């Protein structure tokens, strides 16, 4: 499962229901590139519980400005279209997991 590509035009639709973790990034941002594989892992790991999306701040200044994203990477968790919590800067995977686990329902065990 790959992260969803978010834009100014599809942002409201994509984040409107359930939990969505949004990675605000840019291609020239070194720390953004460092955490990119982690973001992809989270998309698979939380599939069905949390949607994971990436928003290129250079191409989508509307949403970036709306949420006052000043430094990247910034990750914001949205619930039903509203921001609930965010993190700034490259973090270890367990920090992102702790954020998601606080809001996401536990994975079904088989």
């Amino acid at each position: 499962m790959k992260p969803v590509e978010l834009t100014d035009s599809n942002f409201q639709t994509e984040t409107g229901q359930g939990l969505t973790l949004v990675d605000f990034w840019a291609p020239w941002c070194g720390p953004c590139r460092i955490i990119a594989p982690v973001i992809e892992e989270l998309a698979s790991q939380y599939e069905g519980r949390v949607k994971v999306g990436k928003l290129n701040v250079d191409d989508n200044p509307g949403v970036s400005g709306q949420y006052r994203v000043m430094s990247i990477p910034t990750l914001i968790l949205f619930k039903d279209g509203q921001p609930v919590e965010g993190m700034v800067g490259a973090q270890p995977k367990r920090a992102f997991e702790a954020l998601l686990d606080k809001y996401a329902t536990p994975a079904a065990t088989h």
Side-chain angles (χ1 to χ4, degrees):
M1 180 83 185
K2 288 258 189 235
V4 178
E5 200 63 45
L6 299 173
T7 64
D8 281 351
S9 57
N10 75 359
F11 190 83
Q12 294 303 331
T13 307
E14 292 289 348
T15 62
Q17 284 191 308
L19 292 169
T20 308
L21 180 67
V22 179
D23 174 17
F24 292 86
W25 73 287
W28 48 264
C29 163
C32 298
R33 288 198 304 269
I34 291 167
I35 66 164
V38 172
I39 303 304
E40 296 211 359
E41 287 172 27
L42 293 172
S44 295
Q45 190 175 331
Y46 288 86
E47 185 176 359
R49 297 185 293 148
V50 179
K51 182 187 291 186
V52 176
K54 293 172 72 75
L55 186 125
N56 182 327
V57 296
D58 288 345
D59 296 342
N60 302 283
V63 171
S64 311
Q66 182 179 349
Y67 294 102
R68 296 179 179 83
V69 174
M70 298 299 174
S71 52
I72 51 173
T74 291
L75 283 94
I76 300 175
L77 183 64
F78 289 83
K79 181 173 184 174
D80 299 330
Q82 297 302 309
V84 288
E85 198 169 330
M87 305 170 92
V88 177
Q91 307 274 341
K93 183 178 180 185
R94 67 182 172 278
F96 299 128
E97 290 172 332
L99 170 68
L100 295 176
D101 289 343
K102 195 187 319 186
Y103 295 95
T105 52
T109 52
H110 299 285

